[in-house]
Amino acid sequence: MMGMHAKIPPQFEARAERRVWFGRRDAERLLDWIEDSGQRFLGIELAEKGDDETWTLLADNLDLSRQTDNFEAVRRGRDFLRDYDGEGRMFEPVWEGTAA
């Protein structure tokens, strides 16, 4: 998935477990910020931490780069978080900065 990242807000940056990867709750809060600040939501990457503490990027991801309705994109992002949440799962929301 390709996209530019706007500067991540400090309150989220400090909570990231792996660069910009988050547990479900923080990913949901980040979706709130994306929607409230007018960023264009592009999708979510999904990774899972194994028993040996290594991370694997999973094939399941949400690519909304062609979605033109941002409200619908964020709604689908919330559904994805709910559907794919689980032990050791981490999410990377991807967005394109559109607000100043």
Side-chain angles (χ1 to χ4, degrees), residues 1-5 41-46 57 59-66 80 92-95:
M1 185 178 304
M2 304 240 342
M4 298 178 352
H5 282 283
F41 179 57
L42 299 174
I44 298 176
E45 298 284 346
L46 176 64
L57 186 62
D60 298 296
N61 66 61
L62 180 63
D63 182 357
L64 298 169
S65 58
R66 295 176 188 237
F80 183 86
E92 180 186 22
V94 178
W95 68 92

Side-chain angles (χ1 to χ4, degrees), residues 31 35 41 44 62 64 67 69-83:
L31 282 181
E35 186 174 36
F41 179 57
I44 298 176
L62 180 63
L64 298 169
Q67 174 65 255
D69 181 346
N70 202 51
F71 178 81
E72 177 64 14
V74 171
R75 186 195 65 76
R76 290 182 59 195
R78 292 181 199 292
D79 290 344
F80 183 86
L81 292 173
R82 183 186 61 247
D83 293 345

Side-chain angles (χ1 to χ4, degrees), residues 6-49:
K7 176 74 175 132
I8 191 167
Q11 69 268 28
F12 293 111
E13 189 173 42
R15 295 175 62 94
E17 290 193 33
R18 183 177 176 269
R19 264 188 2 173
V20 290
W21 292 86
F22 299 92
R24 177 181 171 189
R25 266 181 230 209
D26 286 326
E28 287 174 339
R29 289 182 185 120
L30 190 52
L31 282 181
D32 291 341
W33 172 80
I34 289 168
E35 186 174 36
D36 293 345
S37 65
Q39 310 301 316
R40 181 171 174 246
F41 179 57
L42 299 174
I44 298 176
E45 298 284 346
L46 176 64
E48 188 170 62
K49 186 188 262 185

